[in-house]
Amino acid sequence: MSKSKINVGNFFEDFRIGQILRHAAPRTVTVGEVALYTALYLPRFAVQSSKAFAQAIGYQEAPIDDMLVFHLVLGKTVPDVSLNALANLGYADFKFLIPVYPGDTLDAVSEVIGLKENSNRETGVVYVRTTGKNQRGETVLSYARWVMVKKRDKDAPVGPAIVPDLPKAVPPSELGQAVPKLNVAAYDKALAGSPFFWGDYEVGEKIDHIDGMTVEEAEHMLATRLYQNNSKVHFNQYYESQGRFGKRIIYGGHVISMARALSFNGLENVFHISAVNGGKHVNPLFAGGTIFAWTEVLDKAEIPGRTDIGALRLRLVATKDKPCAEFPLTGPGGKPDSAVLLDLDYWAVLPR
Amino acid sequence: MSKSKINVGNFFEDFRIGQILRHAAPRTVTVGEVALYTALYLPRFAVQSSKAFAQAIGYQEAPIDDMLVFHLVLGKTVPDVSLNALANLGYADFKFLIPVYPGDTLDAVSEVIGLKENSNRETGVVYVRTTGKNQRGETVLSYARWVMVKKRDKDAPVGPAIVPDLPKAVPPSELGQAVPKLNVAAYDKALAGSPFFWGDYEVGEKIDHIDGMTVEEAEHMLATRLYQNNSKVHFNQYYESQGRFGKRIIYGGHVISMARALSFNGLENVFHISAVNGGKHVNPLFAGGTIFAWTEVLDKAEIPGRTDIGALRLRLVATKDKPCAEFPLTGPGGKPDSAVLLDLDYWAVLPR
Amino acid sequence: MSKSKINVGNFFEDFRIGQILRHAAPRTVTVGEVALYTALYLPRFAVQSSKAFAQAIGYQEAPIDDMLVFHLVLGKTVPDVSLNALANLGYADFKFLIPVYPGDTLDAVSEVIGLKENSNRETGVVYVRTTGKNQRGETVLSYARWVMVKKRDKDAPVGPAIVPDLPKAVPPSELGQAVPKLNVAAYDKALAGSPFFWGDYEVGEKIDHIDGMTVEEAEHMLATRLYQNNSKVHFNQYYESQGRFGKRIIYGGHVISMARALSFNGLENVFHISAVNGGKHVNPLFAGGTIFAWTEVLDKAEIPGRTDIGALRLRLVATKDKPCAEFPLTGPGGKPDSAVLLDLDYWAVLPR
């Protein structure tokens, strides 16, 4: 009787192609979340930090940080999609489509777009397309994500493998949708902290963001709860002490947000993450580790129809306990450097 | 001269029957408190989480979480009532009477309704009726509480023992006052996270909420300060290192809020604590402990005049470092299980 | 190429007399920041805690805590002024000039008003006048500050020493500018927590604030990030483990705010810091330390033209792991007591 009321999460054999998962816990995001996000990561991008700055260039209000929007949307999907996941495998076709402002309410829906059992029959890969919407039903964020999920029963039959065809990168024509037409003349570079606009960055350029930030248990748990992400591995030392690592694993999104905030030093005017082309959590992080980050400019693009903003395709690499003056990425034998936590490929926009 | 300006708290012999204590520090509760509360406990009840959801069913705004209201009211009483308390003994006739919304200002008044010296003459039990009011003077919360308070002077004379007659349980006719008439048709079960309404719960049903949450020093201190609760034992490691346990004691209310948030898994639509019949902090909690929780349905009741909501009388038990699959409560010899932290008896409401 | 985009901070020889530094990251301060500030320090002053209380006596809203305003303004100056500082030497002529309310946006400008190379030629003292402004361009806070900054190159030539002439104390005629004309009749002493007004304090009076508060790593880092203060020594255990102390140094402002909040017990109606005459961070604090505080009334003053409020000149002393019943300040040989963290000389106002 009682067991039936508990959500123990879906297992691989519970998913069906085309299945629509309406996720629980709609959330009104407010200046309270914004303040906590600042306290957790030290972001300093002027557009998100100042209502006056944002309004001067054409926003209705200071928009909510893109990654905070992402974490809130992702958090809702956890109970239905990844409570029994062993690994977060990838993201693709990940686009921010409208700005989110304090007072907006977010909810999320996912559609199962791919299923592929692994050869050991104990796990399978679940592909979902998740859509975050605001209280007017407008899509604010859309992304494909795939995770490795346990089977409840190894012998449970599953359907044929279906792997969706996902783009390797979001095309420039789809960038900048969440940015209103900017009044660039009103964009105050000194207040924003840097003279460098789109034209000042070159493909191949690498930037060591120099600073590092140590993460404490209380911090990553506050963050992950703020996102209403109830993934078990982040919170329960009683269980994790008996687990794979002996300690709580920090939510990978915490590393993304910290690396993004560290990247302010060198990317001060790169105020908006427009799309994510792909990303990998290369190694787990635990409390006590210090995050460093560096960026490589992979590509530059004009955005069709936009003369106010341009796009940079950036690789953001975060490391643990390893400064980034030498841009660590691969170690001996071409394997990833063991200090690398994150390797993220995204499109960002900044004024031209 | 200077000593006289310091509040060292009232001792047992300072209290008088009928004494009115107007507590300091009125507090405007905002979306800032709401965000922090989310980050501290991971509550996911849709009514409190989403303005859009709350308004759709008949609330003016997303109401403030009941336990956050309670913590804020209780915090105000500490300097006058329990600064010299050795134990928090009980609660009765504890009712939420109007919703609290962001922007409301709370203050609190207590009346001394009972006094009983203990036989050792070193302590006594103080009973107060505390009333939390909003900026319009409306009572939002009312409860009786009794605490064991030290005497300043063992030989100080005290009056005759007076013990108030308090109800064992709040009657159903007094429940649901803080819930506006709901438009249940607009209550979206999928968004709320569960198909189970009032009719789906049975008396005697037990629910293991399965998840656990480890508590860090920084977290419980942030919470307790958020409530402006200045009880000394929670904050001062310098003194506590020389004290009874050698470490800071976590505010009992932190355990209540954590257990309540954990209980979302299985009670997703049980969105409002309407009344508390009684409760006991069975054992203290210290940082590093992992909280688990389970619930038993003690009773069900219709609320006179309400066809939109029904009431469940629930026992919420929280444990430390002990999963709740076997519903731990009593140990050998009928004594409380030493892992039990909290045994709370409350009335909650949910849609019918 | 990439190096040029990184801010490594100014060195002593980079500063010029009369140089104007417009600091980055304008910041809208909201109720989110207010809630976090409460959770970090446990302030209980009624004016800042309650919109209803503040409005009853003549404020437009509950004003933002003075020290939160200061931290936000100071945080902005760090990347330009003190990223290469070895010591924060002093403050003078530090005045709050208009109340800041939730929704206001702050930015900051500094002018270099003094430069003096040290005799070792490896460092020099930089004096700045920093002005914090709101979104209407009104000055909310103005202060002079001097810090010891490293030279990049010992042999770099520098100009002649110029040391500004700064007042030893802010005169009473300049106090209370950030306080609207108060309706003192509406000031409810019971709600504020004390019967003591300006007339009740005497010059020479000392107050032991009795309570203590232990600081955790997560707490001071959350605070310092909330202020967007990116000074390196507070966050990076990887580097600090190899540094002077082997651990992260807590932002000195965290100690000021904690001591100020502790001082509520004895100064309940002293709701506003109007000016700072001078201050010294006597010793660094590290996580795990417990802060205590005491106050001495150095002077009392009427404020010209104001019959509603009066000023107290207060010395606020904070200690580490040392209760303040004996008002610790100097140790053997007249040197500062090694437990003293802070010695702050400020003007505060309270109702008459």
Side-chain angles (χ1 to χ4, degrees), chain B residues 2 5 7 25 28 225 237, chain C residues 39 51 191 205-206 214 265:
Chain B
S2 70
K5 290 207 175 62
N7 177 25
T28 302
R225 285 189 297 248
Q237 184 56 29
Chain C
K51 181 168 113 170
L191 267 187
E205 184 174 352
K206 291 181 179 179
T214 305
N265 195 344

Side-chain angles (χ1 to χ4, degrees), chain B residues 294 313 331 352:
Chain B
W294 63 273
R313 186 171 176 180
R352 291 180 64 168

Side-chain angles (χ1 to χ4, degrees), chain A residues 41-295:
Chain A
Y41 305 111
L42 216 165
R44 285 178 287 156
F45 297 96
V47 173
Q48 286 79 16
S49 183
S50 164
K51 181 168 111 172
F53 191 99
Q55 291 180 334
I57 62 169
Y59 280 89
Q60 179 182 320
E61 286 276 337
I64 302 294
D65 189 285
D66 305 304
M67 282 294 123
L68 174 51
V69 171
F70 165 62
H71 297 319
L72 291 169
V73 169
L74 179 86
K76 295 180 196 327
T77 70
V78 168
D80 301 315
V81 173
S82 55
L83 216 50
N84 299 306
L86 288 174
N88 193 20
L89 298 174
Y91 295 99
D93 200 29
F94 181 125
K95 294 170 284 196
F96 290 98
L97 299 169
I98 328 188
V100 177
Y101 295 115
D104 282 352
T105 298
L106 300 176
D107 59 62
V109 175
S110 296
E111 179 179 356
V112 180
I113 57 171
L115 289 170
K116 182 172 179 299
E117 192 181 34
N118 285 324
S119 55
N120 63 13
R121 300 202 58 194
E122 292 181 351
T123 57
V125 180
V126 178
Y127 296 78
V128 294
R129 157 71 58 186
T130 295
T131 311
K133 293 179 186 294
N134 68 17
Q135 71 281 6
R136 290 181 299 275
E138 299 160 334
T139 299
V140 301
L141 170 63
S142 175
Y143 62 85
R145 177 190 180 211
W146 53 109
V147 290
M148 190 197 299
V149 176
K150 281 186 270 191
K151 287 180 75 179
R152 186 188 290 105
D153 171 8
K154 184 177 174 173
D155 297 326
V158 300
I162 295 184
V163 174
D165 189 25
L166 293 165
K168 289 260 187 313
V170 174
S173 61
E174 298 193 33
L175 302 178
Q177 299 182 68
V179 182
K181 176 83 184 73
L182 293 194
N183 176 6
V184 176
Y187 188 103
D188 184 327
K189 288 176 171 186
L191 268 187
S194 161
F196 303 114
F197 270 8
W198 183 74
D200 301 304
Y201 289 87
E202 290 178 17
V203 175
E205 184 175 351
K206 291 181 179 179
I207 301 170
D208 168 15
H209 301 301
I210 70 174
D211 299 313
M213 191 75 77
T214 306
V215 180
E216 301 293 323
E217 297 282 14
E219 294 170 355
H220 76 83
M221 293 202 296
L222 285 169
T224 312
R225 285 189 297 248
L226 182 69
Y227 312 142
Q228 295 177 312
N229 176 334
N230 70 325
S231 181
K232 303 169 183 194
V233 298
H234 310 312
F235 302 113
N236 188 326
Q237 184 56 30
Y238 179 84
Y239 283 141
E240 294 308 316
S241 68
Q242 306 156 34
R244 203 163 25 143
F245 301 104
K247 42 196 169 180
R248 285 161 275 178
I249 302 168
I250 293 176
Y251 166 48
H254 198 67
V255 175
I256 298 178
S257 283
M258 193 66 91
R260 165 71 178 154
L262 290 170
S263 80
F264 176 80
N265 195 343
L267 299 176
E268 289 85 344
N269 292 319
V270 183
F271 65 87
H272 171 55
I273 294 180
S274 187
V276 174
N277 300 308
K280 195 167 157 60
H281 296 291
V282 181
N283 280 297
L285 178 68
F286 307 99
T290 299
I291 301 175
F292 292 87
W294 64 274
T295 289

